[in-house]
Amino acid sequence: FVLPACEGGENLVFFYVRLGDHSRFMLEVDPTDSCARSNARKWYDEAWKVTCEDLHPTHPLRLTAAICRSIFLHDCEMDAPA
């Protein structure tokens, strides 16, 4: 597994966002998949946490994490089945 070998916020943010993206894509295939929904939320939240702690406010990965998380929240969380 790659994540334990990552050192520094930049690498972690990159992988967390990719894991969130993968889970979001799985959720787009099956909108009722609660596991994909919770995994996407977990990975995007983790990426955002590391971003805020370790990356400069103008770092490009900070924008990437914010955009991907926003897309997930808008497209998947707002349309979540009750």
Side-chain angles (χ1 to χ4, degrees), residues 2-78:
V2 176
L3 287 177
C6 288
E7 294 181 11
E10 191 171 319
N11 293 328
L12 282 176
V13 170
F14 177 81
F15 281 109
Y16 286 153
V17 169
R18 294 304 143 242
L19 288 168
D21 287 346
H22 174 74
S23 296
R24 179 170 48 92
F25 298 150
M26 297 302 291
L27 186 59
E28 290 176 3
V29 171
D30 181 9
T32 62
D33 187 351
S34 62
C35 183
R37 184 178 310 281
S38 65
N39 282 339
R41 185 181 308 113
K42 175 181 77 172
W43 292 123
Y44 285 133
D45 288 348
E46 199 60 36
W48 188 246
K49 185 177 98 176
V50 174
T51 297
C52 291
E53 292 172 356
D54 294 349
L55 298 182
H56 192 271
T58 59
H59 195 287
L61 271 179
R62 191 169 182 143
L63 178 62
T64 300
I67 290 172
C68 290
R69 185 171 183 256
S70 295
I71 291 170
F72 166 71
L73 292 174
H74 181 268
D75 292 350
C76 301
E77 290 291 284
M78 288 180 60

